[in-house]
Amino acid sequence: MPITVVGLAPHTSAALWQAASQIRADPYTDGDAFAQQARTAAASLPEDGLTAVLDRFASRQGPSSLLIRGVPMPEALPRTPAGSFHRLPEVRPAGAEPVLALVGARLGEIFAYREWDGAHLVQNRYPVASHHNVQTASGANDLVLHTEACFTAYPPDFLALLGLRPDPTGQAVTLVSDIAQALAQLTPAERGALREPLFVFPTDRGSYNHEGRRTTEPVPLLKDRADGPVLEYSTLITAITAAGAAALAALEEALGRCAQSVLLGAGDLLLIDNCHAVHGRTAFRPAYDGTDRWIQRVLLLRRLPSGGRVVPDTRLAHYPTEYIKALALPA
């Protein structure tokens, strides 16, 4: 299903900015108040074409991704930071956080992982020099198609990505692929294999042994729900049988064929249904001079868990030690 694109009229953009002005808490120092103010502001939005589109998307009555263009932005934007945002000597809002949270809160509850980005509710994504060759959003190599935080206890229902500063080279293109469209290209046998517990993550702390290497216990990748098939997918996954490997290869090819490209500009807000779409990003060449691509992101759950708004990333146990060390590199 193609990405639905919605362009905001000037009066709608102005109304969003006005509503976002109600959100005054700092998302990096007072996350709970920030999220509560965002929820209140989102509920007060006038019922119009935009809110109708957002509500349909939240109830999964439309496409698995939605691009909103013309989201209001602050008049001035700081230079793209050089180091990981939560490790900067002074963490200051860029000014776009309230409008991102306002739209996100129309879809669900903003939450964060304890181990990510200092548990900030708004995540800042831009290239970091020490992560240049790491497979991560702060790297510069291809960020391959994946489900966000798959196999955690609380994977996001939705992601909201707001472009603050576009990639000046035009190379950093966001990719989104609809899961149902890709699965339709697979054979019944391949889809059946994806539903079987045939897939593992390599990890130094695994309890399972596959071909002499420690891994997690085998799990299925595909599950069926009332609102459609749900895929948990990452290229770290390995199949333990020939049938599983063939299905995994077919899935990767189908997701690639179905992928659509979005070059996020300033004021472009991409909403992704994390249960029904995978996403990634093409490689690019950052300058690391304050002009690089910068996006902000919130993760959204339809309902918060009983533990609150900050939850553990249980998937960390699946990461190889060398990968975790690479992400811990200083800027």
Side-chain angles (χ1 to χ4, degrees), residues 95-110:
E97 291 89 349
V99 73
L100 168 61
L102 171 69
V103 175
R106 193 78 188 195
L107 307 182
E109 293 282 354
I110 302 170

Side-chain angles (χ1 to χ4, degrees), residues 79-93:
R79 293 170 63 82
T80 302
S84 297
F85 193 82
H86 66 289
R87 294 175 178 159
L88 296 177
E90 187 174 13
V91 173
R92 291 184 176 179

Side-chain angles (χ1 to χ4, degrees), residues 104-126:
R106 193 78 188 195
L107 307 182
E109 293 282 354
I110 302 170
F111 79 107
Y113 293 109
R114 186 174 300 122
E115 297 81 2
W116 294 19
D117 304 275
H120 290 163
L121 292 187
V122 176
Q123 299 170 357
N124 289 267
R125 293 289 184 259
Y126 46 78

Side-chain angles (χ1 to χ4, degrees), residues 252-265:
E252 182 177 356
E253 291 178 4
L255 289 171
R257 285 193 297 270
C258 296
Q260 300 180 71
S261 302
V262 179
L263 185 62
L264 288 176

Side-chain angles (χ1 to χ4, degrees), residues 109-154:
E109 293 282 354
I110 302 170
F111 79 107
Y113 293 109
R114 186 174 300 122
E115 297 81 2
W116 294 19
D117 304 275
H120 290 163
L121 292 187
V122 176
Q123 299 170 357
N124 289 267
R125 293 289 184 259
Y126 46 78
V128 175
S130 61
H131 295 171
H132 188 93
N133 295 316
V134 183
Q135 177 63 216
T136 179
S138 54
N141 284 343
D142 286 312
L143 183 61
V144 294
L145 293 171
H146 63 285
T147 308
E148 193 67 31
C150 57
F151 300 105
T152 61
Y154 307 104

Side-chain angles (χ1 to χ4, degrees), residues 109 198 221 311 328:
E109 293 282 354
L198 302 176
L221 301 188
V311 302

Side-chain angles (χ1 to χ4, degrees), residues 14-241:
L16 274 181
W17 191 253
Q18 179 62 33
S21 68
Q22 303 174 47
I23 307 170
R24 297 187 175 89
D26 188 319
Y28 308 114
T29 61
D30 195 359
D32 277 329
F34 177 80
Q36 290 166 5
Q37 290 173 9
R39 185 171 63 247
T40 299
S44 70
L45 283 173
E47 299 297 326
D48 58 11
L50 175 61
T51 52
V53 168
L54 292 174
D55 292 349
R56 283 198 299 272
F57 184 78
S59 60
R60 296 183 164 130
Q61 298 178 35
S64 57
S65 54
L66 175 67
L67 178 62
I68 302 173
R69 292 209 148 114
V71 171
M73 299 292 290
E75 290 185 4
L77 187 67
R79 293 170 63 82
T80 302
S84 297
F85 193 82
H86 66 289
R87 294 175 178 159
L88 296 177
E90 187 174 13
V91 173
R92 291 184 176 179
E97 291 89 349
V99 73
L100 168 61
L102 171 69
V103 175
R106 193 78 188 195
L107 307 182
E109 293 282 354
I110 302 170
F111 79 107
Y113 293 109
R114 186 174 300 122
E115 297 81 2
W116 294 19
D117 304 275
H120 290 163
L121 292 187
V122 176
Q123 299 170 357
N124 289 267
R125 293 289 184 259
Y126 46 78
V128 175
S130 61
H131 295 171
H132 188 93
N133 295 316
V134 183
Q135 177 63 216
T136 179
S138 54
N141 284 343
D142 286 312
L143 183 61
V144 294
L145 293 171
H146 63 285
T147 308
E148 193 67 31
C150 57
F151 300 105
T152 61
Y154 307 104
D157 288 304
F158 303 103
L159 314 176
L161 287 71
L162 177 61
L164 270 60
R165 176 172 287 128
D167 173 25
T169 70
Q171 297 170 324
V173 174
T174 300
L175 303 173
V176 183
S177 187
D178 183 83
I179 290 170
Q181 185 180 3
L183 291 173
Q185 299 183 15
L186 272 57
T187 67
E190 289 166 340
R191 291 193 293 271
L194 295 175
R195 292 184 171 94
E196 297 295 325
L198 302 176
F199 307 94
V200 296
F201 287 90
T203 171
D204 301 332
R205 294 173 283 175
S207 57
Y208 188 82
N209 189 298
H210 174 59
E211 296 182 344
R213 186 175 184 184
R214 287 188 177 277
T215 70
T216 58
E217 293 291 325
V219 293
L221 301 188
L222 181 62
K223 300 176 183 178
D224 294 299
R225 294 197 325 201
D227 56 357
V230 176
L231 182 72
E232 295 189 270
Y233 177 74
S234 164
T235 54
L236 287 175
I237 292 166
T238 302
I240 61 173
T241 67

